[in-house]
Amino acid sequence: MSAFAIQTESLTKQYPNGRGCSDVTITVREGEAFGFLGPNGAGKSTCVKMLVGLIFPTEGRASLFGQEAGTVEARRLIGYLPELYRYQEWLTGDEVVRLHAKLAGLTRAEADRRVPELLERVGIGLRSRDRVKGYSKGMQQRLGLACALVSDPRILFLDEPSSAMDPIGRSEVRQLLHELKGQGKTIFLNSHLMEDVEALCDRVALLNNGRILQQGLVEDVLQQRPLWRLRLGGYAPPLLDWLRAETGISVREAEAAADGTAVLEAELADEEQAGWLHAVLIGQGATLYESARVRTKLEEWFVTELSGKSHRGEKA
């Protein structure tokens, strides 16, 4: 099998209305968590549907562990939680997951062992005996996660897996995904919840209008604009103007108090430049209480990269 869990080459799906995606090339290694990001209408769900075999590309190709996407061999490798999920509301949660277990080819004995364990693991517990029509959207999302996991897949495709959950539910799902990643599962996460992506994913790709704008390690993405926070004493506003004029560094006042304490934020290239700035401030009579590098949050990166660019607005 291929060294890559997921691999696409110029993957393209064109619709008559101009939506879809074009020339999407990505690789995801086994055991990685990959964040697939973009605004509404970017074409993310279109890509996911091609990867799981629900639709077929106009051009290009995609494979899962070397198996062509959409084939029976590839489908046996995956679990999938779609964004728009619908379950038979007249069935109980337990019955829904057992139905998916049967569709996945599990024996009765395997389902008896695996289904109760999964329902407990996703936080449904005793509610598994209730009919789905009584479930909240968050509970149905938990149920969908259990269905996606029932076949013990090697690759898990998740399309907004916790969008309907409260903060406690999101935290529980995040913890579960960390456990699955620790077990070597490959996770492909399509989400607007940047905090979840940042906490879980190793790499990300940013899609807009059907094309990839950027992709890379989350760590590298977050460090593209290193930001330092410096807490000072003996500060006065004229110092800020002097710093900008004399050093050429992009620096701003984040907080300031009447007693002369302040927090400045500066965009610095590296630790050497930070050390130089510290010396400059001390040389001007300021007291440096604290200095630390701050990671740029993924949401800030997302907004910055898309700033000024048009996007299609509604999901393709």
Side-chain angles (χ1 to χ4, degrees):
M1 278 195 173
S2 169
F4 295 113
I6 303 169
Q7 187 170 20
T8 72
E9 297 175 9
S10 302
L11 193 64
T12 299
K13 180 67 175 181
Q14 293 295 339
Y15 292 106
N17 62 6
R19 295 179 182 270
C21 58
S22 300
D23 198 29
V24 175
T25 299
I26 58 172
T27 54
V28 182
R29 293 189 177 277
E30 183 174 11
E32 276 192 325
F34 189 88
F36 204 49
L37 310 178
N40 288 339
K44 304 186 302 299
S45 291
T46 296
C47 287
V48 172
K49 288 174 182 176
M50 284 190 283
L51 290 173
V52 301
L54 290 177
I55 59 176
F56 295 95
T58 307
E59 297 178 27
R61 63 183 297 272
S63 61
L64 309 179
F65 285 110
Q67 303 293 335
E68 184 179 353
T71 61
V72 172
E73 292 78 11
R75 292 185 183 188
R76 285 180 176 142
L77 300 170
I78 69 174
Y80 175 43
L81 173 59
E83 181 181 12
L84 300 176
Y85 47 86
R86 294 289 186 273
Y87 303 109
Q88 297 88 341
E89 61 179 23
W90 59 89
L91 297 179
T92 67
D94 180 86
E95 289 170 338
V96 168
V97 183
R98 286 181 182 276
L99 172 61
H100 281 256
K102 188 172 183 179
L103 292 171
L106 272 68
T107 65
R108 178 68 176 271
E110 289 172 329
D112 287 343
R113 174 183 57 82
R114 189 155 177 77
V115 171
E117 173 190 302
L118 276 175
L119 288 167
E120 187 67 34
R121 199 173 183 191
V122 300
I124 291 181
L126 294 177
R127 293 290 309 276
S128 65
R129 300 174 184 175
D130 296 347
R131 298 196 184 280
V132 172
K133 66 180 179 182
Y135 283 11
S136 66
K137 288 183 179 179
M139 286 289 289
Q140 290 194 42
Q141 211 157 30
R142 291 173 186 264
L143 181 64
L145 190 54
C147 291
L149 289 169
V150 74
S151 65
D152 194 20
R154 295 182 67 184
I155 308 174
L156 193 58
F157 288 96
L158 304 173
D159 200 346
E160 300 289 352
S162 57
S163 59
M165 294 182 188
D166 59 25
I168 294 175
R170 282 178 52 201
S171 177
E172 291 173 350
V173 168
R174 191 186 306 161
Q175 178 60 37
L176 173 57
L177 295 181
H178 272 291
E179 292 173 7
L180 292 168
K181 181 182 172 185
Q183 295 168 9
K185 303 292 186 188
T186 303
I187 299 172
F188 192 95
L189 178 61
N190 175 9
S191 178
H192 285 120
L193 300 174
M194 297 296 155
E195 181 182 349
D196 294 348
V197 175
E198 184 175 340
L200 177 71
C201 293
D202 304 292
R203 293 191 301 123
V204 293
L206 177 61
L207 199 71
N208 188 47
N209 292 337
R211 295 183 179 273
I212 291 181
L213 292 180
Q214 273 204 52
Q215 61 177 308
L217 293 169
V218 171
E219 182 179 355
D220 291 343
V221 164
L222 295 179
Q223 299 292 3
Q224 285 183 358
R225 286 169 294 278
L227 188 70
W228 289 72
R229 288 176 64 89
L230 303 94
R231 191 164 65 87
L232 309 173
Y235 171 79
L239 176 61
L240 189 63
D241 295 330
W242 182 87
L243 278 175
R244 289 168 175 162
E246 294 297 319
T247 68
I249 291 174
S250 176
V251 57
R252 73 180 187 89
E253 180 185 288
E255 301 173 18
D259 63 359
T261 60
V263 174
L264 303 183
E265 292 183 343
E267 293 184 18
L268 303 172
D270 49 36
E271 291 184 354
E272 184 175 348
Q273 189 178 34
W276 174 72
L277 180 59
H278 297 164
V280 170
L281 289 167
I282 293 170
Q284 292 299 306
T287 302
L288 184 62
Y289 296 128
E290 186 180 359
S291 175
R293 184 171 181 165
V294 181
R295 292 202 309 170
T296 302
K297 296 296 183 182
L298 198 62
E299 186 170 356
E300 295 175 18
W301 170 80
F302 181 94
V303 172
T304 300
E305 292 299 325
L306 292 171
S307 179
K309 296 180 173 67
S310 63
H311 58 86
R312 296 184 296 213
E314 293 298 331
K315 186 159 44 183

CSV table of all heavy atoms in Angstrom, one decimal, residues 18-77:
chain,number,residue,atom,x,y,z
A,18,GLY,N,-20.3,26.7,-12.2
A,18,GLY,CA,-19.0,27.3,-11.9
A,18,GLY,C,-18.4,26.9,-10.5
A,18,GLY,O,-17.3,27.2,-10.2
A,19,ARG,N,-19.2,26.2,-9.7
A,19,ARG,CA,-18.7,25.8,-8.4
A,19,ARG,C,-17.9,24.5,-8.5
A,19,ARG,O,-17.7,24.0,-9.6
A,19,ARG,CB,-19.9,25.7,-7.4
A,19,ARG,CG,-20.6,27.1,-7.2
A,19,ARG,CD,-21.7,26.9,-6.2
A,19,ARG,NE,-22.4,28.2,-6.0
A,19,ARG,CZ,-22.1,29.0,-5.1
A,19,ARG,NH1,-21.2,28.7,-4.2
A,19,ARG,NH2,-22.8,30.1,-4.9
A,20,GLY,N,-17.5,24.0,-7.3
A,20,GLY,CA,-16.7,22.8,-7.3
A,20,GLY,C,-15.3,23.1,-6.8
A,20,GLY,O,-15.1,24.0,-6.0
A,21,CYS,N,-14.3,22.4,-7.4
A,21,CYS,CA,-13.0,22.7,-7.0
A,21,CYS,C,-12.0,22.3,-8.1
A,21,CYS,O,-12.4,21.6,-9.1
A,21,CYS,CB,-12.6,21.9,-5.7
A,21,CYS,SG,-12.8,20.1,-5.9
A,22,SER,N,-10.8,22.9,-8.1
A,22,SER,CA,-9.9,22.7,-9.3
A,22,SER,C,-8.5,22.5,-8.8
A,22,SER,O,-8.0,23.2,-7.9
A,22,SER,CB,-9.9,24.0,-10.1
A,22,SER,OG,-11.2,24.3,-10.6
A,23,ASP,N,-7.8,21.5,-9.4
A,23,ASP,CA,-6.4,21.3,-9.2
A,23,ASP,C,-6.0,21.2,-7.7
A,23,ASP,O,-5.0,21.7,-7.3
A,23,ASP,CB,-5.6,22.4,-9.9
A,23,ASP,CG,-4.2,22.1,-10.2
A,23,ASP,OD1,-3.9,20.9,-10.4
A,23,ASP,OD2,-3.3,23.0,-10.1
A,24,VAL,N,-6.8,20.4,-7.0
A,24,VAL,CA,-6.4,20.2,-5.5
A,24,VAL,C,-5.5,19.0,-5.4
A,24,VAL,O,-5.8,17.9,-5.7
A,24,VAL,CB,-7.7,19.9,-4.7
A,24,VAL,CG1,-7.4,19.6,-3.3
A,24,VAL,CG2,-8.7,21.1,-4.8
A,25,THR,N,-4.3,19.4,-4.9
A,25,THR,CA,-3.2,18.4,-4.7
A,25,THR,C,-2.8,18.4,-3.3
A,25,THR,O,-2.2,19.4,-2.8
A,25,THR,CB,-2.0,18.6,-5.7
A,25,THR,OG1,-2.4,18.6,-7.0
A,25,THR,CG2,-0.9,17.6,-5.4
A,26,ILE,N,-3.0,17.3,-2.6
A,26,ILE,CA,-2.6,17.2,-1.2
A,26,ILE,C,-2.1,15.8,-0.9
A,26,ILE,O,-2.4,14.9,-1.6
A,26,ILE,CB,-3.8,17.5,-0.2
A,26,ILE,CG1,-4.9,16.6,-0.5
A,26,ILE,CG2,-4.2,19.0,-0.3
A,26,ILE,CD1,-6.1,16.7,0.6
A,27,THR,N,-1.3,15.7,0.2
A,27,THR,CA,-0.9,14.4,0.7
A,27,THR,C,-1.1,14.4,2.2
A,27,THR,O,-0.8,15.4,2.9
A,27,THR,CB,0.6,14.0,0.3
A,27,THR,OG1,1.4,15.1,0.8
A,27,THR,CG2,0.7,13.9,-1.2
A,28,VAL,N,-1.6,13.3,2.7
A,28,VAL,CA,-1.7,13.1,4.2
A,28,VAL,C,-1.1,11.8,4.6
A,28,VAL,O,-1.5,10.7,4.0
A,28,VAL,CB,-3.2,13.1,4.6
A,28,VAL,CG1,-3.4,13.0,6.1
A,28,VAL,CG2,-3.9,14.4,4.1
A,29,ARG,N,-0.2,11.8,5.5
A,29,ARG,CA,0.4,10.5,5.9
A,29,ARG,C,-0.4,9.8,7.0
A,29,ARG,O,-1.2,10.4,7.6
A,29,ARG,CB,1.8,10.8,6.5
A,29,ARG,CG,2.8,11.3,5.5
A,29,ARG,CD,4.2,11.4,6.0
A,29,ARG,NE,5.1,11.8,5.0
A,29,ARG,CZ,5.7,11.0,4.1
A,29,ARG,NH1,5.4,9.7,4.1
A,29,ARG,NH2,6.5,11.5,3.2
A,30,GLU,N,-0.2,8.5,7.1
A,30,GLU,CA,-0.9,7.7,8.1
A,30,GLU,C,-0.6,8.2,9.5
A,30,GLU,O,0.5,8.5,9.8
A,30,GLU,CB,-0.5,6.2,8.0
A,30,GLU,CG,-1.2,5.3,8.9
A,30,GLU,CD,-0.9,3.9,8.7
A,30,GLU,OE1,0.1,3.6,8.0
A,30,GLU,OE2,-1.6,3.0,9.3
A,31,GLY,N,-1.7,8.4,10.2
A,31,GLY,CA,-1.6,8.8,11.6
A,31,GLY,C,-1.6,10.3,11.8
A,31,GLY,O,-1.6,10.9,12.9
A,32,GLU,N,-1.7,11.1,10.6
A,32,GLU,CA,-1.7,12.5,10.7
A,32,GLU,C,-3.2,13.0,10.9
A,32,GLU,O,-4.1,12.3,10.5
A,32,GLU,CB,-1.2,13.2,9.4
A,32,GLU,CG,0.2,13.4,9.3
A,32,GLU,CD,0.6,14.3,8.2
A,32,GLU,OE1,0.0,14.2,7.1
A,32,GLU,OE2,1.6,15.0,8.3
A,33,ALA,N,-3.3,14.2,11.5
A,33,ALA,CA,-4.6,14.9,11.5
A,33,ALA,C,-4.5,16.1,10.6
A,33,ALA,O,-3.5,16.9,10.7
A,33,ALA,CB,-5.0,15.3,12.9
A,34,PHE,N,-5.3,16.2,9.6
A,34,PHE,CA,-5.2,17.2,8.5
A,34,PHE,C,-6.4,18.1,8.5
A,34,PHE,O,-7.6,17.6,8.4
A,34,PHE,CB,-5.1,16.5,7.1
A,34,PHE,CG,-4.7,17.4,6.0
A,34,PHE,CD1,-3.4,17.6,5.7
A,34,PHE,CD2,-5.7,17.9,5.2
A,34,PHE,CE1,-3.1,18.4,4.6
A,34,PHE,CE2,-5.4,18.8,4.2
A,34,PHE,CZ,-4.1,19.0,3.8
A,35,GLY,N,-6.2,19.3,8.7
A,35,GLY,CA,-7.3,20.3,8.7
A,35,GLY,C,-7.5,20.9,7.3
A,35,GLY,O,-6.6,21.4,6.7
A,36,PHE,N,-8.8,20.8,6.9
A,36,PHE,CA,-9.2,21.3,5.5
A,36,PHE,C,-10.0,22.5,5.8
A,36,PHE,O,-11.2,22.4,6.2
A,36,PHE,CB,-9.9,20.2,4.8
A,36,PHE,CG,-9.9,20.3,3.3
A,36,PHE,CD1,-8.7,20.5,2.6
A,36,PHE,CD2,-11.0,20.2,2.5
A,36,PHE,CE1,-8.6,20.6,1.2
A,36,PHE,CE2,-11.0,20.3,1.2
A,36,PHE,CZ,-9.8,20.5,0.5
A,37,LEU,N,-9.5,23.7,5.5
A,37,LEU,CA,-10.1,24.9,5.9
A,37,LEU,C,-10.5,25.8,4.6
A,37,LEU,O,-10.0,25.6,3.6
A,37,LEU,CB,-9.2,25.8,6.7
A,37,LEU,CG,-8.5,25.0,7.9
A,37,LEU,CD1,-7.5,26.0,8.6
A,37,LEU,CD2,-9.5,24.5,8.8
A,38,GLY,N,-11.5,26.7,4.9
A,38,GLY,CA,-11.9,27.6,3.8
A,38,GLY,C,-13.3,28.2,4.2
A,38,GLY,O,-14.0,27.6,5.0
A,39,PRO,N,-13.6,29.3,3.6
A,39,PRO,CA,-14.9,29.9,3.8
A,39,PRO,C,-16.0,29.1,3.2
A,39,PRO,O,-15.8,28.2,2.4
A,39,PRO,CB,-14.8,31.3,3.2
A,39,PRO,CG,-13.8,31.1,2.0
A,39,PRO,CD,-12.8,30.1,2.6
A,40,ASN,N,-17.3,29.4,3.5
A,40,ASN,CA,-18.4,28.8,2.8
A,40,ASN,C,-18.3,29.0,1.3
A,40,ASN,O,-17.9,30.1,0.8
A,40,ASN,CB,-19.7,29.4,3.3
A,40,ASN,CG,-20.1,29.0,4.7
A,40,ASN,OD1,-19.6,28.0,5.2
A,40,ASN,ND2,-20.9,29.8,5.3
A,41,GLY,N,-18.5,28.0,0.6
A,41,GLY,CA,-18.4,28.1,-0.9
A,41,GLY,C,-17.1,27.8,-1.4
A,41,GLY,O,-16.9,27.8,-2.7
A,42,ALA,N,-16.1,27.4,-0.6
A,42,ALA,CA,-14.7,27.2,-1.1
A,42,ALA,C,-14.6,25.9,-1.9
A,42,ALA,O,-13.7,25.7,-2.7
A,42,ALA,CB,-13.8,27.1,0.1
A,43,GLY,N,-15.5,24.9,-1.6
A,43,GLY,CA,-15.4,23.6,-2.3
A,43,GLY,C,-14.9,22.5,-1.4
A,43,GLY,O,-14.6,21.4,-1.9
A,44,LYS,N,-14.9,22.7,-0.1
A,44,LYS,CA,-14.4,21.7,0.8
A,44,LYS,C,-15.2,20.5,0.8
A,44,LYS,O,-14.7,19.4,0.7
A,44,LYS,CB,-14.3,22.3,2.3
A,44,LYS,CG,-13.5,23.6,2.4
A,44,LYS,CD,-13.4,24.0,3.8
A,44,LYS,CE,-14.7,24.2,4.5
A,44,LYS,NZ,-15.5,25.3,3.9
A,45,SER,N,-16.5,20.6,0.9
A,45,SER,CA,-17.4,19.4,1.0
A,45,SER,C,-17.3,18.7,-0.3
A,45,SER,O,-17.5,17.4,-0.4
A,45,SER,CB,-18.8,19.8,1.3
A,45,SER,OG,-18.9,20.3,2.7
A,46,THR,N,-17.2,19.4,-1.4
A,46,THR,CA,-17.1,18.7,-2.7
A,46,THR,C,-15.8,17.8,-2.7
A,46,THR,O,-15.9,16.7,-3.2
A,46,THR,CB,-16.9,19.8,-3.9
A,46,THR,OG1,-18.1,20.5,-3.9
A,46,THR,CG2,-16.7,19.1,-5.2
A,47,CYS,N,-14.7,18.3,-2.2
A,47,CYS,CA,-13.5,17.5,-2.1
A,47,CYS,C,-13.7,16.3,-1.3
A,47,CYS,O,-13.3,15.2,-1.6
A,47,CYS,CB,-12.3,18.3,-1.6
A,47,CYS,SG,-11.7,19.6,-2.8
A,48,VAL,N,-14.3,16.5,-0.1
A,48,VAL,CA,-14.5,15.4,0.8
A,48,VAL,C,-15.4,14.3,0.2
A,48,VAL,O,-15.1,13.1,0.3
A,48,VAL,CB,-15.1,15.9,2.1
A,48,VAL,CG1,-15.6,14.7,3.0
A,48,VAL,CG2,-14.2,16.7,2.9
A,49,LYS,N,-16.4,14.7,-0.5
A,49,LYS,CA,-17.3,13.8,-1.2
A,49,LYS,C,-16.6,13.0,-2.3
A,49,LYS,O,-16.9,11.8,-2.5
A,49,LYS,CB,-18.5,14.5,-1.8
A,49,LYS,CG,-19.5,15.0,-0.7
A,49,LYS,CD,-20.6,15.9,-1.4
A,49,LYS,CE,-21.6,16.4,-0.3
A,49,LYS,NZ,-22.6,17.3,-0.9
A,50,MET,N,-15.6,13.6,-2.9
A,50,MET,CA,-14.9,12.8,-3.9
A,50,MET,C,-14.0,11.8,-3.2
A,50,MET,O,-13.8,10.7,-3.6
A,50,MET,CB,-14.0,13.8,-4.8
A,50,MET,CG,-14.8,14.5,-5.9
A,50,MET,SD,-13.8,15.3,-7.1
A,50,MET,CE,-13.4,16.8,-6.1
A,51,LEU,N,-13.4,12.2,-2.1
A,51,LEU,CA,-12.5,11.3,-1.3
A,51,LEU,C,-13.2,10.1,-0.8
A,51,LEU,O,-12.6,9.0,-0.7
A,51,LEU,CB,-11.8,12.1,-0.2
A,51,LEU,CG,-10.8,13.2,-0.6
A,51,LEU,CD1,-10.3,14.0,0.6
A,51,LEU,CD2,-9.6,12.5,-1.3
A,52,VAL,N,-14.5,10.3,-0.4
A,52,VAL,CA,-15.2,9.1,0.2
A,52,VAL,C,-16.0,8.4,-0.9
A,52,VAL,O,-16.6,7.4,-0.6
A,52,VAL,CB,-16.1,9.6,1.3
A,52,VAL,CG1,-15.3,10.3,2.5
A,52,VAL,CG2,-17.2,10.5,0.9
A,53,GLY,N,-16.0,8.9,-2.1
A,53,GLY,CA,-16.6,8.1,-3.2
A,53,GLY,C,-18.0,8.4,-3.5
A,53,GLY,O,-18.7,7.7,-4.2
A,54,LEU,N,-18.5,9.5,-2.9
A,54,LEU,CA,-20.0,9.9,-3.2
A,54,LEU,C,-20.2,10.6,-4.5
A,54,LEU,O,-21.2,10.5,-5.1
A,54,LEU,CB,-20.5,10.8,-2.1
A,54,LEU,CG,-20.6,10.2,-0.7
A,54,LEU,CD1,-21.1,11.2,0.3
A,54,LEU,CD2,-21.6,9.0,-0.7
A,55,ILE,N,-19.1,11.3,-5.0
A,55,ILE,CA,-19.2,11.9,-6.3
A,55,ILE,C,-17.8,11.6,-7.0
A,55,ILE,O,-16.8,11.2,-6.3
A,55,ILE,CB,-19.4,13.4,-6.3
A,55,ILE,CG1,-18.4,14.1,-5.5
A,55,ILE,CG2,-20.8,13.7,-5.8
A,55,ILE,CD1,-18.5,15.6,-5.5
A,56,PHE,N,-17.7,11.7,-8.3
A,56,PHE,CA,-16.5,11.4,-9.0
A,56,PHE,C,-15.9,12.7,-9.7
A,56,PHE,O,-16.6,13.6,-10.1
A,56,PHE,CB,-16.8,10.3,-10.1
A,56,PHE,CG,-17.2,9.0,-9.5
A,56,PHE,CD1,-18.6,8.7,-9.3
A,56,PHE,CD2,-16.3,8.1,-9.0
A,56,PHE,CE1,-18.9,7.5,-8.7
A,56,PHE,CE2,-16.6,6.9,-8.4
A,56,PHE,CZ,-18.0,6.6,-8.2
A,57,PRO,N,-14.6,12.7,-9.8
A,57,PRO,CA,-13.9,13.9,-10.3
A,57,PRO,C,-14.1,14.1,-11.8
A,57,PRO,O,-14.3,13.1,-12.5
A,57,PRO,CB,-12.5,13.7,-9.9
A,57,PRO,CG,-12.3,12.2,-9.8
A,57,PRO,CD,-13.6,11.7,-9.3
A,58,THR,N,-14.1,15.4,-12.2
A,58,THR,CA,-14.1,15.7,-13.6
A,58,THR,C,-12.7,15.4,-14.2
A,58,THR,O,-12.6,14.9,-15.3
A,58,THR,CB,-14.4,17.2,-13.8
A,58,THR,OG1,-15.6,17.5,-13.1
A,58,THR,CG2,-14.6,17.5,-15.3
A,59,GLU,N,-11.7,15.7,-13.4
A,59,GLU,CA,-10.3,15.5,-13.8
A,59,GLU,C,-9.5,15.2,-12.5
A,59,GLU,O,-9.9,15.4,-11.4
A,59,GLU,CB,-9.7,16.7,-14.5
A,59,GLU,CG,-10.3,17.2,-15.7
A,59,GLU,CD,-9.6,18.4,-16.3
A,59,GLU,OE1,-8.4,18.6,-16.0
A,59,GLU,OE2,-10.3,19.2,-17.0
A,60,GLY,N,-8.3,14.6,-12.7
A,60,GLY,CA,-7.4,14.3,-11.6
A,60,GLY,C,-7.8,13.0,-10.9
A,60,GLY,O,-8.6,12.3,-11.4
A,61,ARG,N,-7.1,12.7,-9.8
A,61,ARG,CA,-7.3,11.4,-9.2
A,61,ARG,C,-7.1,11.6,-7.7
A,61,ARG,O,-6.5,12.5,-7.2
A,61,ARG,CB,-6.4,10.4,-9.7
A,61,ARG,CG,-4.9,10.6,-9.5
A,61,ARG,CD,-4.1,9.5,-10.2
A,61,ARG,NE,-4.3,8.3,-9.5
A,61,ARG,CZ,-3.6,7.8,-8.5
A,61,ARG,NH1,-2.7,8.6,-7.9
A,61,ARG,NH2,-3.9,6.6,-8.0
A,62,ALA,N,-7.7,10.6,-6.9
A,62,ALA,CA,-7.5,10.6,-5.5
A,62,ALA,C,-7.3,9.1,-5.1
A,62,ALA,O,-8.0,8.2,-5.7
A,62,ALA,CB,-8.7,11.2,-4.8
A,63,SER,N,-6.5,8.9,-4.1
A,63,SER,CA,-6.3,7.5,-3.6
A,63,SER,C,-6.2,7.5,-2.1
A,63,SER,O,-5.8,8.5,-1.5
A,63,SER,CB,-5.1,6.9,-4.2
A,63,SER,OG,-3.9,7.6,-3.9
A,64,LEU,N,-6.6,6.4,-1.5
A,64,LEU,CA,-6.6,6.2,0.0
A,64,LEU,C,-5.7,4.9,0.2
A,64,LEU,O,-6.1,3.8,-0.2
A,64,LEU,CB,-8.0,6.0,0.6
A,64,LEU,CG,-9.0,7.0,0.2
A,64,LEU,CD1,-10.4,6.7,0.8
A,64,LEU,CD2,-8.6,8.4,0.6
A,65,PHE,N,-4.6,5.1,0.8
A,65,PHE,CA,-3.6,4.0,0.9
A,65,PHE,C,-3.4,3.3,-0.4
A,65,PHE,O,-3.3,2.0,-0.4
A,65,PHE,CB,-4.1,3.0,2.0
A,65,PHE,CG,-3.9,3.5,3.4
A,65,PHE,CD1,-5.0,3.9,4.2
A,65,PHE,CD2,-2.6,3.7,4.0
A,65,PHE,CE1,-4.8,4.4,5.5
A,65,PHE,CE2,-2.4,4.2,5.2
A,65,PHE,CZ,-3.5,4.5,6.0
A,66,GLY,N,-3.3,4.0,-1.5
A,66,GLY,CA,-3.0,3.5,-2.8
A,66,GLY,C,-4.2,2.9,-3.5
A,66,GLY,O,-4.1,2.6,-4.7
A,67,GLN,N,-5.4,2.9,-2.8
A,67,GLN,CA,-6.6,2.4,-3.5
A,67,GLN,C,-7.4,3.6,-4.1
A,67,GLN,O,-7.6,4.6,-3.4
A,67,GLN,CB,-7.5,1.7,-2.5
A,67,GLN,CG,-6.8,0.5,-1.8
A,67,GLN,CD,-6.5,-0.6,-2.7
A,67,GLN,OE1,-7.2,-0.8,-3.8
A,67,GLN,NE2,-5.5,-1.5,-2.4
A,68,GLU,N,-7.8,3.5,-5.3
A,68,GLU,CA,-8.5,4.6,-5.9
A,68,GLU,C,-9.8,4.9,-5.1
A,68,GLU,O,-10.6,4.1,-4.8
A,68,GLU,CB,-8.9,4.2,-7.4
A,68,GLU,CG,-9.6,5.3,-8.1
A,68,GLU,CD,-10.0,4.9,-9.5
A,68,GLU,OE1,-9.6,3.8,-10.0
A,68,GLU,OE2,-10.6,5.7,-10.2
A,69,ALA,N,-10.0,6.2,-4.8
A,69,ALA,CA,-11.1,6.7,-4.1
A,69,ALA,C,-12.4,6.3,-4.8
A,69,ALA,O,-12.5,6.4,-6.0
A,69,ALA,CB,-11.1,8.2,-3.9
A,70,GLY,N,-13.4,5.8,-4.0
A,70,GLY,CA,-14.6,5.4,-4.5
A,70,GLY,C,-14.8,3.9,-4.8
A,70,GLY,O,-15.9,3.4,-4.9
A,71,THR,N,-13.7,3.2,-4.8
A,71,THR,CA,-13.7,1.8,-5.0
A,71,THR,C,-14.1,1.1,-3.7
A,71,THR,O,-14.0,1.7,-2.6
A,71,THR,CB,-12.4,1.2,-5.5
A,71,THR,OG1,-11.4,1.5,-4.4
A,71,THR,CG2,-11.9,1.9,-6.8
A,72,VAL,N,-14.6,-0.1,-3.8
A,72,VAL,CA,-15.0,-0.9,-2.6
A,72,VAL,C,-13.8,-1.0,-1.7
A,72,VAL,O,-13.9,-0.9,-0.4
A,72,VAL,CB,-15.5,-2.3,-3.0
A,72,VAL,CG1,-15.7,-3.2,-1.8
A,72,VAL,CG2,-16.8,-2.2,-3.8
A,73,GLU,N,-12.6,-1.2,-2.2
A,73,GLU,CA,-11.4,-1.4,-1.4
A,73,GLU,C,-11.1,-0.1,-0.6
A,73,GLU,O,-10.7,-0.2,0.6
A,73,GLU,CB,-10.2,-1.7,-2.3
A,73,GLU,CG,-10.2,-3.1,-2.9
A,73,GLU,CD,-11.2,-3.2,-4.1
A,73,GLU,OE1,-11.6,-2.1,-4.6
A,73,GLU,OE2,-11.4,-4.3,-4.6
A,74,ALA,N,-11.3,1.0,-1.2
A,74,ALA,CA,-11.0,2.3,-0.5
A,74,ALA,C,-12.1,2.6,0.5
A,74,ALA,O,-11.8,3.0,1.6
A,74,ALA,CB,-11.0,3.4,-1.5
A,75,ARG,N,-13.4,2.3,0.2
A,75,ARG,CA,-14.4,2.5,1.1
A,75,ARG,C,-14.3,1.7,2.4
A,75,ARG,O,-14.8,2.1,3.5
A,75,ARG,CB,-15.8,2.3,0.5
A,75,ARG,CG,-16.1,3.3,-0.6
A,75,ARG,CD,-17.5,3.1,-1.2
A,75,ARG,NE,-17.7,4.0,-2.3
A,75,ARG,CZ,-18.9,4.2,-2.9
A,75,ARG,NH1,-20.0,3.5,-2.5
A,75,ARG,NH2,-19.1,5.0,-3.9
A,76,ARG,N,-13.7,0.5,2.3
A,76,ARG,CA,-13.5,-0.3,3.5
A,76,ARG,C,-12.6,0.3,4.5
A,76,ARG,O,-12.5,-0.1,5.6
A,76,ARG,CB,-13.0,-1.7,3.1
A,76,ARG,CG,-14.1,-2.6,2.4
A,76,ARG,CD,-13.5,-3.9,2.0
A,76,ARG,NE,-14.6,-4.8,1.5
A,76,ARG,CZ,-14.4,-5.6,0.5
A,76,ARG,NH1,-13.2,-5.7,-0.1
A,76,ARG,NH2,-15.4,-6.4,0.1
A,77,LEU,N,-11.8,1.3,4.0
A,77,LEU,CA,-10.8,1.9,4.9
A,77,LEU,C,-11.3,3.1,5.7
A,77,LEU,O,-10.6,3.6,6.6
A,77,LEU,CB,-9.6,2.4,4.0
A,77,LEU,CG,-8.9,1.3,3.2
A,77,LEU,CD1,-7.9,2.0,2.2
A,77,LEU,CD2,-8.1,0.4,4.1
